[in-house]
């Protein structure tokens, strides 16, 4: 059994799911993959079931009843991974915006001392492909905003390409995590920061999805903008709730 599990949350990713699974399993290091699917109407979970025949004991599937948000999908996956005793637990998107080959770099960063490693778009300049200028400015500006409010020294706090050591997730009170969109990514890093875990950013080149639809929405952006302020307030004045 490998020590590493890659969690990929999905909703309507039929155009990407087979290719991303094959890409992970083609790496020189062995990773297992857990797909957490929110009952996609396009047949994503059915395709995963087919692929499980090809990859027994390596590919796993959890199907939830309905679309309930990125954060809750990852929490579901984290609990599954902790129960199965994986030592290194990864977040990765299904759409190839996160290069699968960089899973190995994230893994090595944690093996070599980090508690949490982040595939970062901004730790060495701006490494984003196929995004319009306004999207780059929104994302980069959000990163600066989060650093200013939280005090975290993380250049890409909204990143969703991450490796956690199991001990980090075991110590973050997963049932009290509040946010479900991009603010979820910020909250997880902020909680790890407050616990004193060592965070390391690993440079990646982020490429916008070619197939399928983005899940970005104005409500997700709003959650991140106002959620960061609320999160910081709670961490200062209501620590028992954080």
């Amino acid at each position: 059994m490998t020590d590493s599990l890659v969690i990929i949350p999905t909703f309507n990713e039929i155009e990407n799911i087979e290719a991303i699974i094959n890409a992970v399993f083609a790496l020189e290091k062995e990773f297992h993959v857990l797909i957490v699917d929110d009952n996609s109407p396009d047949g994503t979970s059915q395709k995963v079931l087919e692929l499980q025949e090809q990859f027994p004991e390596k590919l796993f599937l959890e199907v939830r009843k309905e679309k309930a948000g990125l954060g809750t999908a990852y929490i579901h996956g984290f609990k599954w991974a902790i129960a199965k005793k994986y030592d290194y637990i990864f977040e990765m998107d299904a759409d190839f915006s996160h290069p699968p080959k960089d899973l190995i770099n994230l893994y090595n960063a944690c093996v070599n001392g980090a508690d949490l490693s982040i595939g970062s778009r901004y730790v060495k300049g701006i490494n984003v492909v196929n995004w319009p200028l306004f999207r780059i400015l929104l994302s980069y500006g959000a990163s600066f905003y989060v650093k200013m409010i939280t005090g975290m020294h993380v250049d890409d706090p909204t990143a969703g390409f991450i490796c956690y050591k199991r001990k980090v997730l075991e110590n973050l009170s997963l049932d009290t995590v509040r946010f479900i969109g991009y603010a979820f990514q910020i909250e997880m890093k902020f909680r790890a920061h407050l616990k004193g875990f060592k965070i390391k950013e690993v440079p990646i080149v982020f490429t916008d999805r070619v197939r399928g639809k983005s899940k970005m929405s104005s409500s997700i952006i709003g959650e991140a903008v106002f959620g960061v302020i609320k999160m910081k307030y709670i961490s200062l004045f209501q620590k028992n709730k954080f």
Side-chain angles (χ1 to χ4, degrees):
M1 178 177 174
T2 182
D3 58 358
S4 301
L5 178 75
V6 181
I7 302 170
I8 303 177
T10 57
F11 184 76
N12 287 346
E13 291 289 356
I14 192 64
E15 295 172 283
N16 295 303
I17 194 62
E18 182 172 8
I20 196 71
I21 289 170
N22 284 328
V24 174
F25 289 150
L27 296 172
E28 59 187 32
K29 172 181 164 44
E30 182 180 6
F31 294 88
H32 287 178
V33 172
L34 170 66
I35 305 299
V36 181
D37 185 66
D38 279 359
N39 202 18
S40 298
D42 70 348
T44 298
S45 61
Q46 288 83 351
K47 174 54 71 173
V48 176
L49 286 171
E50 294 174 15
L51 292 169
Q52 282 183 312
E53 297 180 8
Q54 183 180 349
F55 301 111
E57 307 304 323
K58 294 176 63 174
L59 176 60
F60 306 96
L61 173 65
E62 292 282 292
V63 179
R64 305 197 299 168
K65 291 182 179 180
E66 59 187 5
K67 191 176 184 213
L70 180 74
T72 60
Y74 273 127
I75 296 296
H76 184 105
F78 293 157
K79 291 180 178 179
W80 190 96
I82 290 168
K84 302 294 184 182
K85 303 296 184 182
Y86 287 95
D87 293 321
Y88 301 94
I89 302 162
F90 296 76
E91 295 184 14
M92 189 173 77
D93 288 349
D95 60 7
F96 285 93
S97 57
H98 303 144
K101 63 181 178 61
D102 286 325
L103 287 167
I104 295 173
N105 294 332
L106 294 179
Y107 174 80
N108 288 336
C110 283
V111 168
N112 291 322
D115 298 310
L116 163 63
S117 60
I118 301 168
S120 177
R121 296 164 289 189
Y122 307 128
V123 70
K124 289 187 176 181
I126 299 176
N127 292 305
V128 176
V129 177
N130 292 340
W131 262 10
L133 180 60
F134 83 88
R135 184 82 184 269
I136 294 173
L137 293 175
L138 176 64
S139 177
Y140 193 76
S143 297
F144 179 80
Y145 167 77
V146 171
K147 286 195 292 183
M148 182 179 65
I149 297 294
T150 65
M152 284 194 298
H153 298 293
V154 175
D155 289 304
D156 196 356
T158 63
F161 192 25
I162 299 168
C163 175
Y164 295 94
K165 283 183 176 175
R166 172 157 45 97
K167 68 177 182 180
V168 176
L169 297 176
E170 289 175 332
N171 282 277
L172 290 190
S173 302
L174 295 177
D175 287 332
T176 65
V177 174
R178 291 171 170 77
F179 300 118
I180 62 174
Y182 284 90
F184 164 80
Q185 303 292 6
I186 301 166
E187 182 177 358
M188 290 293 292
K189 296 176 186 68
F190 187 51
R191 285 172 177 263
H193 165 74
L194 292 179
K195 289 280 188 179
F197 288 114
K198 183 178 179 181
I199 301 173
K200 179 175 177 60
E201 291 185 86
V202 176
I204 68 163
V205 176
F206 178 97
T207 303
D208 196 21
R209 69 163 61 233
V210 175
R211 294 178 294 272
K213 292 184 178 180
S214 172
K215 311 303 188 295
M216 176 67 77
S217 68
S218 58
S219 63
I220 289 173
I221 295 171
E223 180 193 57
V225 170
F226 297 107
V228 169
I229 297 173
K230 182 178 180 180
M231 186 177 66
K232 180 64 174 179
Y233 176 86
I234 292 172
S235 74
L236 290 173
F237 301 110
Q238 300 178 30
K239 293 183 180 181
N240 61 315
K241 294 184 179 181
F242 198 79

